[in-house]
Amino acid sequence: MAGQALTTGTGRRRLLFGLLDGDGWTWASIKATFWFVVIVMMLGYLPDRAYYFTVFPTIDLGVLVYSPVNFCPPSNRNLPCPAPVGATLPWDPAPPELALPSGRTDGATVQLGTKLAYVGGSDGKTPSDQTFLADLYSGTFGPWKPGPALPAARSGAGVAVLNSSVYVAGGNGPDGKPSDTVYAAAQDLTTGVVGAFAADDTLKLPEPRSFAVLVAAGDGLILLGGGNGTAAQGTVWKSTLDAKGKLQPWAPQAPLPAGQEVSESSGALVGDFVYLYGGRTAQGPVGTVLRGHISKAAETLGQVVSWDIGGGATNLPAARTRGAGFSANGVLYLVGGADANGPQPQMYWTVPDAKGDLPGWQHLAATDLPVGLAGGSAVVSGSEAFVIGGTTPDQPAVTGAARANLAPQPPFFQLGLFGATIPALKVGGEIGQQLGYLNAAGVGTVNFILLLLIGWAFAHKERSRELLGRVFRRLRR
């Protein structure tokens, strides 16, 4: 006799307050979907979570869209929990053993392989030709030692590293006037030794500049703004690498917008945009942000072709000049800087979106410097940022440094309506991965056995009821 089809009919059992036929297709589909989700969870999701529970510090369960309950590790100190995107840990002063040999301001710090180099600057009055080198370690650096001297003293120079060479563009010379020289020194990648600085005549600037911004691009160097000794300038020049990797003479790019000529500003290259923020114009310290577009068209590839003011380039909350600016992980930072009242301690940051627009600058009192600072130099190494030297309200040039970690820890526990974050084991290295695989395999195996038992129970309902009855009777005794 043919089997009966799953169709609705009279006299059949009704489920869900009589809405569904217990032997109909709708109820069958609901049960099939339920068991499909159960199988995916038991054989896919749970083993996956078991692996990450082993190797990660935290693990997410469910979908945590919003969490009113958050607990962060003590290492975040007094930051909000969770910390805003781009926030750093509070700045800590470096120990006296890591102080510069003498006070410096308006110098520049760059990373050369496993070394930091502090180049030029002044003691607050007179430019210096000295450089200092320090070995980099995990999260810190060692004592400063003398490095190769510049051919002439420079303060307020643009300094950048490209292809293991450090370039020093312009800057005020011993006479206090802007220069047009570019000094270069190469580092031996085998020994780490930094060679002597020498003038690169090919890179001589078209005009003298000081307090210009020098940024390294993938195909060369870009020098933006700066002063000529009389007024801030709006020039933008680029030196492009040729096919042999040699920098070519400077070529003019799209200049800064009229009326926005600036010096003593901070700058960084993020994606296809170069940003200039803060600085000094003819009106004094400003908080203006300028955004330059790097062309991707074949005929103008790599050139700065246009500039924006405002709109997609939100201005700083306050005017700042000679701030310690840097970028890390696609975030723009400005630490300290001066306004009309002198050096200030605030740190501001912003996270450009995919279009290069700035949604606004953020500020937390917990991430301000302990004291106002202008003329400091910022450098990033791994997850650590350092601000070295500078001018405070009480000292024309300081020897100290400050350090901040760029990666506050996420909450170790969060609880929301549809999910949660809980602490995990965080077993590191190869051992953690192997243990994670074993845990995932173990959970998957146990769940597979449970599914087999569930299937057997449904296939033998009378026997299953009998066994459960025996268990419950024994539990009552």
Side-chain angles (χ1 to χ4, degrees), residues 279-303:
R280 181 182 295 275
T281 68
Q283 288 72 43
V286 296
T288 307
V289 177
L290 306 175
R291 181 180 64 177
H293 295 252
I294 308 295
S295 175
K296 293 188 288 186
E299 61 276 9
T300 56
L301 184 64
Q303 296 183 25

Side-chain angles (χ1 to χ4, degrees), residues 213-215 222 224 256 262 265-278 288-294 304 306-308 310-315 325-327 330-333 350-359 361:
V213 171
L214 183 67
V215 296
I222 306 174
L224 307 111
L256 302 180
V262 67
S265 60
S266 299
L269 186 69
V270 178
D272 296 324
F273 302 94
V274 59
Y275 298 88
L276 275 182
Y277 44 104
T288 307
V289 177
L290 306 175
R291 181 180 64 177
H293 295 252
I294 308 295
V304 183
S306 63
W307 289 89
D308 297 327
T314 307
N315 289 341
F326 65 95
S327 67
V331 183
L332 295 174
Y333 296 89
T350 185
V351 185
D353 63 18
K355 298 180 181 179
D357 293 342
L358 306 184
W361 293 82

Side-chain angles (χ1 to χ4, degrees), residues 100 102-107 118 120-127 155 211 322 338 343 371-377 388-400:
L100 292 168
S102 56
R104 286 288 183 270
T105 186
D106 296 325
Y118 187 91
S122 77
D123 59 5
K125 295 181 180 179
T126 306
S155 174
F211 290 100
R322 295 169 60 218
V371 65
L373 186 77
S377 175
I388 300 169
T391 299
T392 68
D394 300 323
Q395 293 180 277
V398 300
T399 60

Side-chain angles (χ1 to χ4, degrees), residues 19 26 31-32 116 119 149 186 250 281 287 339 354 365 369 374 376 378 412 421 433:
L19 295 176
T26 302
K31 289 192 295 183
L116 288 183
V119 181
W250 300 95
T281 68
D339 60 12
L369 294 172
F412 62 84
T421 297
Q433 291 188 7

Side-chain angles (χ1 to χ4, degrees), residues 87-124:
T88 71
L89 288 177
W91 292 88
D92 294 315
E97 292 80 5
L98 303 184
L100 292 168
S102 56
R104 286 288 183 270
T105 186
D106 296 325
T109 311
V110 292
Q111 181 176 351
L112 279 167
T114 59
K115 294 183 181 294
L116 288 183
Y118 187 91
V119 181
S122 77
D123 59 5

Side-chain angles (χ1 to χ4, degrees), residues 57-71:
T58 60
I59 183 172
D60 294 330
L61 304 175
V63 180
L64 189 64
V65 178
Y66 169 72
S67 173
V69 180
N70 301 282
F71 295 101

Side-chain angles (χ1 to χ4, degrees), residues 46-48 50-52 54-55 430-446:
L46 292 179
D48 174 80
Y51 171 80
Y52 288 109
T54 307
V55 300
E430 183 69 21
I431 294 177
Q433 291 188 7
Q434 296 302 324
L435 288 176
Y437 295 141
L438 289 174
N439 284 345
V443 171
T445 301
V446 170

